[in-house]
């Protein structure tokens, strides 16, 4: 869909919820490529030229004249019953809550649930304290009178902070009145206070409530219809009918019920608060992604292949498995179209065996000169031309034919496919959309995502395939990426010096050209020029925030492809790499750096300042999603479950003859459940055994990342992950515990004794040594023969603790 001019009509400067609604919705729509204008509902002159007018709570028909589409996002408590006829003026009536939908659905068939979202207030750097927070802002309908009466009548000794711009005559002790505060100070209060009191009479959405959930607070709400649909709240207080307002009934919480809720909060243990914090964060993130998914749908912009959190969020989002099915269907359709009548050579090429790896390259007409050089360099590849294909995706089309002229399909020994990808949202390059189109057009089971400005060294494809096979032979499915270096020349100078080589297509002229061309130390944020001549090689990559990943097609499908929320500028590629990083932390894959391959970044002109705005928004969104993956948000856990099932067939499709088929991780539901039971049992024993430590815990073996995270959350300790080989390098620590999980499987008596001695050496004083066992023997889950794995579902999981003295 082309970008729209959208007018949002409301009270855009009231300093309350409506202004916050307008700014959040407007920023989101702008980040999706639309042009947004805020219009005050009391504006006297007409405002024309809108493709869509969205009314937030208020409705002024004169401000929508001439607009082909108009939506209403109402608050049920402020909508007058006699205004029912006005609902016929709207294409859609979008309700923030299901309770509001229950009131508007009988009035109009155009009502549907949208949801909404609030700002993410999470700040882990702020220390949490056992104090209470109440944020009525400028409203007198947030139950503030009941809160203050509870503190006054019952002399509640616990500290309370009230953030309100109104003057409240009642001033109990232990209550701090903060008045109107800036956003920075409000964020501090929200993160520092463990308990948030939200006894509102009614909430059309409740920004203070949802911001409290985002901060991981224990949120206290009335037990009413409107509040019952909000997940993650710690306590629900009894509430009695108070009256009616608009279309809804209001409720009030008695001061005595506020007091009882406060006492229950203070009885929470630290472990309870950690669980509440995780549940609150999960509820906030899931609700936000459900809203984004719904908004995509009503805008008519939701693409067939779409990754990111929205694809796996809650019951409304498409699961990773659904995304994989959608991608496969699209690919089948592309294959059918490709089989249309054509030349005999094309028919023969398509009937031949597919290549092993596809190089997917999105390109815009402005970078066609760089694409010509990138494709010409591929003629020097040492790999057989039939082993790889090149898929060039025209981002935004190729009206002048510059991209096709640069790629020269049919003139190379390898196959070159040209794919058109219209931009779904405006003038800016949309690399996510283009890369997904390239995946659908590719035939190979391995996908290498490149850019039009990247030159590969002659041995790149051969070494990439060799290292991929070597990783499978080791039983460690790996995603590979090459190191990046940059040609240190101005764009015009590079084009001039390489013009003769690119025009002639003489591949033997590439090496002298590059040897005479200065290189810098590597592209910013990448690994630099770390290529090593000689035999194919790779090394574990400790941290990758960007890159040119080589991924199995099945894994791309399971991840949902590239998230088409991102427009370009590298954030879309980085967000995809963040998903791969999450898979590595879950011990499903390995990520390795190809040290035998050189990838050179050609110089190109800088992008426009307007495009930089979208790039920065994309980077901020990427950072937010990376934090959710690290936190283990609900949508990410659901995605992991789908990928565990899709991983083995995806890997074996890429290398059906690999010798390591029996050594790939068993991702069947039974094996996954066995792992989950092991984690739960170890965690149950770890909590009491490790609580007295003041140092850290070393976790070794099966599900190490999960166990380390659980130990850190449940026991409040710093947990680190180590391998068996890494145990010998760890220093002795008198305040340290060690968890061995599945690391003694198949070990001889000597190997078993050596590992235990190393663990006991680390735990010199009173630190416990935890050994996770299954059916009486420490077994490495999912890594053995089929017979052993088949016995796991019925196995009894036991965990024993060994206290080690000095």
């Amino acid at each position: 869909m082309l970008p729209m001019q959208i007018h949002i009509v409301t009270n855009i400067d009231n300093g309350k919820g409506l202004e916050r609604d307008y700014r959040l919705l407007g920023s989101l729509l702008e980040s999706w490529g639309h042009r947004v204008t805020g219009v005050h509902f009391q504006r006297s002159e007409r405002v024309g030229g809108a493709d869509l007018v969205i009314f937030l709570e208020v409705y002024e028909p004169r401000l929508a004249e001439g607009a082909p589409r108009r939506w209403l996002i109402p608050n049920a408590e402020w909508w007058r019953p006699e205004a029912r006829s006005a609902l016929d003026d709207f294409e859609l009536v979008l309700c923030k809550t299901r309770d509001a939908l229950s009131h508007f659905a009988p009035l109009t068939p155009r009502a549907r649930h949208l949801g909404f979202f609030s700002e993410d207030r999470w700040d882990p750097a702020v220390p949490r304290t056992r104090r209470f927070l109440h944020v009525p802002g400028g409203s007198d309908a947030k139950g503030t009178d009941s809160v203050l009466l509870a503190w006054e009548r019952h002399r509640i000794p616990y500290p309370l902070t009230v953030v309100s711009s109104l003057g409240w005559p009642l001033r109990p002790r232990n209550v701090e009145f903060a008045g109107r505060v800036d956003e920075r100070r409000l964020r501090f209060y929200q993160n520092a206070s463990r308990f948030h009191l939200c006894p509102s009479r009614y909430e059309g959405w409740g920004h203070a409530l949802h911001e409290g959930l985002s901060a991981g607070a224990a949120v206290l709400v009335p037990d009413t219809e409107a509040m019952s649909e909000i997940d993650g709240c710690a306590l629900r207080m009894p509430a009695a009918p108070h009256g009616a307002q608009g279309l809804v009934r209001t409720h009030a919480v008695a001061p005595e019920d506020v007091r009882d809720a406060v006492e229950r909060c203070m009885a929470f243990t630290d472990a309870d608060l950690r669980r509440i914090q995780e549940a609150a964060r999960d509820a906030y993130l899931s609700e936000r992604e459900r809203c984004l998914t719904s908004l995509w749908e009503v805008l008519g912009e939701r693409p067939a292949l779409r990754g990111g959190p929205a694809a796996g969020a809650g019951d409304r989002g498409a699961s990773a498995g659904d995304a994989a099915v959608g991608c496969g269907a699209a690919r089948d359709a592309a294959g059918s179209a490709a089989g249309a009548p054509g030349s005999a050579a094309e028919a023969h090429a398509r009937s031949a065996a597919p290549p092993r790896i596809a190089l997917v390259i999105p390109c815009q007409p402005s970078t066609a000169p760089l694409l010509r050089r990138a494709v010409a360099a591929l003629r020097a590849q040492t790999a057989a031309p039939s082993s790889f294909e090149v898929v060039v995706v025209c981002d935004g089309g190729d009206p002048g034919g510059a991209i096709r002229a640069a790629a020269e399909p049919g003139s190379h020994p390898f196959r070159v496919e040209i794919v058109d990808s219209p931009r779904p949202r405006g003038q800016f390059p949309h690399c996510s959309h283009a890369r997904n189109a390239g995946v659908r057009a590719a035939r190979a089971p391995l996908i290498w995502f490149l850019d039009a400005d990247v030159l590969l060294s002659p041995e790149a494809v051969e070494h990439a395939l060799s290292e991929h096979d070597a990783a499978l032979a080791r039983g460690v499915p790996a995603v590979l990426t090459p190191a990046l270096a940059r040609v240190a020349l101005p764009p015009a100078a590079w084009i001039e010096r390489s013009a003769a080589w690119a025009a002639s297509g003489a591949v033997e002229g590439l090496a002298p050209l590059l040897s005479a061309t200065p290189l810098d130390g590597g592209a910013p944020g990448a690994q630099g020029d770390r290529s090593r001549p000689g035999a194919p090689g790779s090394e574990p990559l400790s941290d990758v925030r960007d890159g040119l990943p080589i991924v199995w097609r099945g894994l791309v499908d399971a991840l949902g492809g590239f998230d088409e929320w991102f427009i370009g500028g590298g954030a879309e590629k980085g967000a995809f790499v963040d998903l791969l990083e999450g898979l590595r932390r879950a011990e499903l894959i390995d990520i390795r750096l190809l040290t035998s391959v050189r990838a050179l970044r050609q110089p190109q002109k800088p992008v426009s300042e307007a495009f930089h705005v979208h790039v920065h928004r994309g980077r901020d969104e990427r950072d937010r999603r990376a934090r959710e993956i690290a936190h283990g948000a609900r949508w990410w856990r659901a995605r992991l479950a789908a990928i565990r099932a899709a991983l083995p067939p995806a890997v074996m499709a890429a290398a059906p003859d690999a010798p390591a088929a029996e050594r790939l991780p068993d991702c069947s539901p039974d094996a996954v459940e066995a792992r989950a039971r092991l984690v739960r049992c170890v965690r149950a024993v770890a909590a009491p055994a490790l609580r007295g430590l003041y140092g850290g815990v070393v976790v070794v073996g099966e599900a190490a990342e999960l166990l380390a995270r659980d130990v850190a959350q449940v026991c409040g300790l710093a947990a680190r992950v180590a391998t068996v080989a890494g145990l010998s390098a760890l220093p002795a620590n008198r305040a340290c515990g060690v968890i061995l999980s599945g690391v003694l499987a198949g070990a001889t008596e000597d190997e078993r004794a050596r590992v235990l001695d190393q663990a006991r050496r680390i735990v010199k004083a009173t630190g416990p040594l935890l050994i996770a066992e299954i059916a009486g023997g420490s077994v490495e889950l999912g890594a053995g023969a089929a017979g052993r794995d088949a016995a796991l579902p019925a196995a009894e999981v036991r965990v024993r603790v060994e206290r080690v003295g000095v």
Side-chain angles (χ1 to χ4, degrees):
M1 178 181 290
L2 295 176
M4 293 187 291
Q5 176 64 55
I6 300 177
H7 291 173
I8 300 179
V9 180
T10 189
N11 192 345
I12 62 176
D13 57 1
N14 71 340
K16 300 180 182 179
L18 284 182
E19 180 180 352
R20 195 176 293 269
D21 287 355
Y22 153 64
R23 297 193 182 281
L24 287 169
L25 182 60
S27 298
L28 177 64
L29 293 173
E30 285 181 344
S31 70
W32 286 353
H34 300 291
R35 300 180 300 275
V36 178
T37 301
V39 180
H40 199 284
F41 76 106
Q42 293 178 334
R43 183 166 180 168
S44 56
E45 66 273 18
R46 295 179 180 178
V47 184
D51 301 307
L52 169 65
V53 180
I54 302 176
F55 291 91
L56 288 178
E57 186 179 298
V58 300
Y59 178 42
E60 291 293 336
R62 57 186 171 79
L63 297 178
E65 292 180 3
R69 305 173 69 184
R70 60 183 72 180
W71 296 352
L72 173 67
I73 303 180
N75 285 336
E77 71 273 27
W78 297 110
W79 189 262
R80 294 176 290 107
E82 59 269 20
R84 175 176 181 173
S85 60
L87 298 176
D88 297 334
D89 295 344
F90 299 101
E91 173 191 352
L92 290 173
V93 178
L94 303 174
C95 302
K96 300 178 186 177
T97 65
R98 297 193 181 277
D99 183 71
L101 178 64
S102 68
H103 295 290
F104 281 98
L107 304 180
T108 173
R110 301 182 181 92
R112 63 176 295 176
H113 180 246
L114 173 67
F116 214 75
F117 61 97
S118 298
E119 291 185 14
D120 191 346
R121 298 290 189 164
W122 174 255
D123 187 353
V126 177
R128 269 61 176 174
T129 58
R130 287 178 175 263
R131 59 181 302 122
F132 291 81
L133 177 68
H134 176 58
V135 186
S139 173
D140 59 357
K142 304 296 184 181
T144 310
D145 48 355
S146 295
V147 172
L148 296 179
L149 279 172
W151 251 260
E152 176 72 17
R153 289 180 183 175
H154 305 289
R155 301 184 180 276
I156 296 177
Y158 313 119
L160 165 69
T161 300
V162 177
V163 179
S164 175
S165 58
L166 303 180
W168 298 94
L170 198 59
R171 298 276 170 161
R173 65 187 184 92
N174 291 330
V175 177
E176 172 193 3
F177 290 87
R180 186 185 294 273
V181 298
D182 57 25
E183 291 297 313
R184 181 188 62 82
R185 192 64 181 170
L186 178 58
R187 181 187 294 268
F188 172 80
Y189 282 133
Q190 290 171 325
N191 283 273
S193 305
R194 284 282 194 185
F195 312 109
H196 290 205
L197 286 165
C198 302
S200 304
R201 295 176 185 170
Y202 188 84
E203 284 288 3
W205 176 249
H207 286 287
L209 189 161
H210 287 84
E211 288 173 3
L213 293 176
S214 75
V219 179
L220 287 67
V221 297
D223 188 10
T224 60
E225 295 88 349
M227 300 295 187
S228 62
E229 65 187 83
I230 302 175
D231 295 331
C233 297
L235 286 179
R236 302 186 185 276
M237 301 174 285
H242 181 267
Q245 182 176 334
L247 301 178
V248 305
R249 294 180 300 171
T250 60
H251 295 78
V253 177
E256 290 70 26
D257 294 320
V258 173
R259 174 203 59 193
D260 294 343
V262 168
E263 294 298 337
R264 290 176 61 190
C265 285
M266 296 307 295
F268 286 147
T269 65
D270 291 342
D272 293 335
L273 291 177
R274 280 189 287 270
R275 287 192 293 269
I276 289 171
Q277 176 176 291
E278 182 177 357
R281 284 289 296 170
D282 279 349
Y284 166 78
L285 295 173
S286 298
E287 180 60 37
R288 184 184 192 278
E289 299 309 333
R290 275 194 292 268
C291 173
L292 297 186
T293 302
S294 299
L295 192 56
W296 268 101
E297 291 171 351
V298 298
L299 283 170
E301 292 186 354
R302 186 171 177 85
L305 176 63
R306 175 169 155 76
D315 53 356
R316 289 290 303 274
S319 68
D322 296 334
V325 171
C327 184
R331 191 162 54 249
D332 294 341
S336 300
S343 65
E346 181 178 359
H348 174 73
R350 293 191 180 277
S351 62
R356 289 195 60 193
I357 187 169
L359 282 57
V360 175
I361 308 175
C363 183
Q364 299 88 42
S366 61
T367 56
L370 302 179
L371 175 68
R372 178 185 295 276
R373 288 151 179 78
V375 176
L378 295 175
R379 296 175 63 90
Q381 289 299 312
T382 58
S386 60
S387 65
F388 68 97
E389 63 178 341
V390 179
V391 180
V392 177
V393 188
C394 304
D395 182 3
D398 188 22
I403 298 177
R404 282 174 171 81
E408 297 181 315
S411 63
H412 303 288
F414 46 84
R415 174 177 177 264
V416 176
E417 178 82 3
I418 306 295
V419 179
D420 282 326
S421 174
R423 292 173 184 166
R425 296 202 302 275
Q427 59 180 324
F428 299 122
H430 202 304
C431 297
S432 296
H433 191 272
R435 287 193 175 92
N436 288 336
V439 172
R440 291 191 290 267
R443 298 187 300 157
L446 275 175
I447 308 293
W448 193 343
F449 294 104
L450 296 174
D451 294 324
D453 59 347
V454 172
L455 295 177
L456 289 180
S457 56
E459 71 283 351
V461 173
E462 180 185 0
H463 287 194
L465 292 174
S466 176
E467 281 301 299
H468 176 266
D469 294 342
L472 289 182
R474 293 190 298 267
V476 183
V479 171
L480 305 171
T481 183
L484 281 171
R486 175 172 294 172
V487 177
L489 284 177
W494 167 252
I495 293 296
E496 180 182 357
R497 293 182 59 174
S498 59
W501 163 73
S504 67
V507 295
E508 62 272 9
L510 176 61
L513 175 65
L514 293 179
S515 64
T517 300
L519 305 177
D520 69 2
Q527 299 297 320
D529 184 12
R530 292 171 54 180
S531 60
R532 294 197 298 261
S538 65
E539 62 184 36
L541 192 55
S542 60
D543 179 47
V544 54
R545 293 289 289 169
D546 205 341
L548 306 170
I550 306 171
V551 192
W552 316 289
R553 162 184 243 119
L555 187 56
V556 176
D557 293 348
L559 286 171
F562 283 79
D563 188 349
E564 296 186 8
W565 184 93
F566 295 96
I567 293 178
E572 81 292 338
K573 200 166 38 175
F576 186 77
V577 172
D578 290 338
L579 297 176
L580 297 176
E581 282 278 12
L583 296 182
R584 176 168 66 175
R585 284 195 294 269
E587 299 182 340
L588 292 179
I589 65 171
D590 189 15
I591 300 180
R592 298 183 68 86
L593 180 71
L594 281 169
T595 53
S596 58
V597 173
R598 171 179 282 184
L600 301 179
R601 180 80 74 187
Q602 303 178 69
Q604 58 176 301
K605 296 179 181 179
V607 297
S608 65
E609 187 62 32
F611 183 58
H612 271 299
V613 173
H614 292 271
V615 170
H616 288 303
R617 286 174 179 158
R619 288 172 181 168
D620 292 342
E621 177 66 10
R622 176 198 172 181
D623 291 340
R624 183 190 69 80
R625 295 187 184 183
R627 290 193 299 270
E628 294 178 9
I629 293 173
H631 175 72
R634 183 180 301 173
W635 68 264
W636 176 242
R637 296 200 301 270
R639 185 76 60 87
L640 278 179
I643 293 174
R644 283 191 176 100
L647 184 60
V651 175
M652 298 318 300
D657 300 327
E662 70 279 2
R663 291 194 286 175
L664 291 177
D666 181 5
C667 297
S668 65
D670 289 340
V672 171
E673 175 58 25
R675 290 187 184 91
R677 285 193 288 121
L678 174 61
V679 171
R680 288 196 296 268
C681 291
V682 174
R683 182 173 56 186
V685 176
L690 302 178
R691 199 177 300 279
L693 298 181
Y694 58 86
V697 175
V698 179
V699 182
V700 186
E702 177 67 29
E705 290 284 351
L706 295 175
L707 287 176
R709 187 182 65 204
D710 287 339
V711 167
Q713 290 180 349
V714 174
C715 305
L717 298 172
R720 59 179 297 184
V721 177
T723 62
V724 175
L727 274 176
S728 59
L730 294 175
N733 191 330
R734 290 180 176 272
C736 181
V738 175
I739 299 177
L740 296 177
S741 170
V743 301
L744 305 177
T748 64
E749 289 299 325
D750 291 341
E751 292 171 339
R752 182 184 180 93
R754 178 176 54 82
V755 173
L756 292 176
D757 287 343
Q758 290 174 350
R760 293 187 182 104
R761 177 188 56 81
I762 298 172
V763 187
K764 290 185 62 176
T766 58
L769 173 62
L770 277 74
I771 302 176
E773 296 183 320
I774 299 178
S778 300
V779 179
E780 188 167 0
L781 290 174
R788 182 195 301 172
D789 288 340
L792 290 181
E796 178 185 357
V797 180
R798 296 198 301 271
V799 180
R800 65 184 176 89
V801 180
E802 178 180 337
R803 284 284 176 183
V804 181
V806 178

